[in-house]
Amino acid sequence: PMGGGSMVASSGPSTPSISSLIGVAGHSKDVNSVAWNASGDKLASGSDDRTAQVYDVDNTGRAKQLLRLEPHQGSVVQVCWDPVNPNRLATVASGEKDKTVRLWDTRTHKSVKEYKMTAEYINVAWSPEGGSLAVGSSIGGASSKDDTAKDYISIIDVREHKIKKHKFPFEVNEFSFSPNSRHMILTTELGTVEVYKFIVGGNLKHVRSIQAHTDNCYTLDIDPTGQFMAVGSKDSLVSLWETDDLICLRSVGDHSTPVRTVSFSPCGAYLASASYDHGVDIASVATGERLHKAE
């Protein structure tokens, strides 16, 4: 089973009222990624200005800049917090001069480790137990010197500082670890969801392929309880799956264009999805009924 039982969210700051939220200046160019840490009191952002920023957010929603991380020589395309250690941040840079993944200790404001990669990487996922960091390439087959590879995922053992690189004969759009860290799930250009057993040391063993959609599967998310998985596709559909047996339960949402992102609510009761139709659907996980469309 991929589920691995209930995952209890850590308690964080209380929810502020909308009127108390304020904007915070920090970047001089486009922001590519934002992420909250596990305790919910720090927010990180990565930008085309080659920096990452970390903000302290209080229980009223007010933020102040804690640090500015500047050594990258390329755009910071992803930021991702360690799910176990609320002070450890990973940043991913992309560009001709910088193809690195860095780990930061936000208490000391220092980079504690740098991993030099051989390709530009644009996706990132941290295993729930905090021991491994997976980064996905952006080659899409076009610039690969290996005719058999259309995409790469490199898995970094952040304890032993070893990297295991995996190549795939198809484009990988998004990936995630299962809540128990025993599996890695990939969405592909073939309309499939590929399931791999994750083995200590960064090895992957293919265990199952699911024809989830009739067209490119772009995005996925696993709910906080580990019971359900949502997949969004170019065919404009969102499918909801039971994770233990990988059975499709129902379609969710009502989009007319390709679905680009899906996200479960922290309580697991709702699923948000968005596509090129400029709206965000909020649906009931239990029934699949669309509850609201934000436009």
Side-chain angles (χ1 to χ4, degrees):
M2 295 195 310
S6 175
M7 296 180 65
V8 179
S10 59
S11 58
S14 59
T15 303
S17 64
I18 292 176
S19 61
S20 71
L21 299 178
I22 60 171
V24 180
H27 292 287
S28 60
K29 293 186 178 180
D30 290 349
V31 175
N32 299 309
S33 177
V34 292
W36 294 94
N37 71 342
S39 56
D41 60 348
K42 292 183 178 69
L43 179 69
S45 58
S47 168
D48 284 342
D49 66 9
R50 302 180 180 181
T51 73
Q53 308 270 11
V54 177
Y55 306 93
D56 179 77
V57 184
D58 66 20
N59 59 9
T60 70
R62 294 183 177 272
K64 65 178 180 179
Q65 186 185 91
L66 286 180
L67 61 152
R68 180 182 177 93
L69 311 176
E70 297 187 276
H72 282 300
Q73 298 302 309
S75 296
V76 179
V77 294
Q78 290 286 350
V79 292
C80 189
W81 292 92
D82 183 330
V84 177
N85 181 348
N87 297 302
R88 184 160 65 166
L89 176 71
T91 58
V92 181
S94 182
E96 292 183 3
K97 296 182 179 180
D98 193 346
K99 300 179 179 69
T100 62
V101 176
R102 291 176 183 262
L103 299 184
W104 303 83
D105 185 336
T106 59
R107 294 167 299 184
T108 64
H109 300 192
K110 293 181 179 179
S111 173
V112 295
K113 188 66 181 177
E114 175 186 319
Y115 304 98
K116 293 184 178 180
M117 316 303 286
T118 57
E120 293 188 33
Y121 286 79
I122 58 172
N123 293 324
V124 62
W126 214 310
S127 61
E129 39 55 70
S132 298
L133 186 70
V135 288
S137 76
S138 63
I139 62 169
S143 60
S144 174
K145 296 179 180 179
D146 185 347
D147 291 339
T148 66
K150 293 191 72 174
D151 249 331
Y152 293 98
I153 293 177
S154 291
I155 300 177
I156 303 169
D157 185 324
V158 298
R159 298 185 178 111
E160 300 293 332
H161 303 300
K162 296 179 180 179
I163 302 175
K164 189 79 172 181
K165 188 175 182 180
H166 302 272
K167 65 180 181 181
F168 299 90
F170 43 73
E171 290 183 26
V172 177
N173 291 315
E174 198 165 58
F175 50 84
S176 177
F177 287 93
S178 63
N180 58 19
S181 298
R182 295 176 184 172
H183 294 85
M184 178 172 275
I185 306 100
L186 287 59
T187 56
T188 80
E189 64 172 336
L190 306 176
T192 63
V193 172
E194 305 293 335
V195 181
Y196 291 81
K197 184 177 181 181
F198 180 64
I199 304 168
V200 175
N203 293 303
L204 297 175
K205 180 181 178 181
H206 189 258
V207 294
R208 192 165 178 184
S209 179
I210 305 163
Q211 191 65 52
H213 288 266
T214 59
D215 210 331
N216 208 317
C217 287
Y218 284 141
T219 182
L220 83 157
D221 192 29
I222 297 174
D223 87 307
T225 70
Q227 293 180 288
F228 305 109
M229 174 178 69
V231 179
S233 171
K234 186 179 179 181
D235 63 13
S236 77
L237 298 174
V238 178
S239 55
L240 185 68
W241 301 76
E242 186 269 324
T243 56
D244 280 343
D245 298 315
L246 290 174
I247 297 172
C248 185
L249 300 175
R250 62 186 64 89
S251 292
V252 178
D254 186 23
H255 296 284
S256 57
T257 56
V259 178
R260 299 300 305 188
T261 184
V262 294
S263 180
F264 284 98
S265 63
C267 65
Y270 309 108
L271 178 66
S273 57
S275 71
Y276 290 132
D277 58 17
H278 300 171
V280 178
D281 274 12
I282 300 174
S284 165
V285 171
T287 66
E289 177 187 3
R290 186 170 73 176
L291 304 175
H292 183 73
K293 186 176 183 68
E295 294 182 295

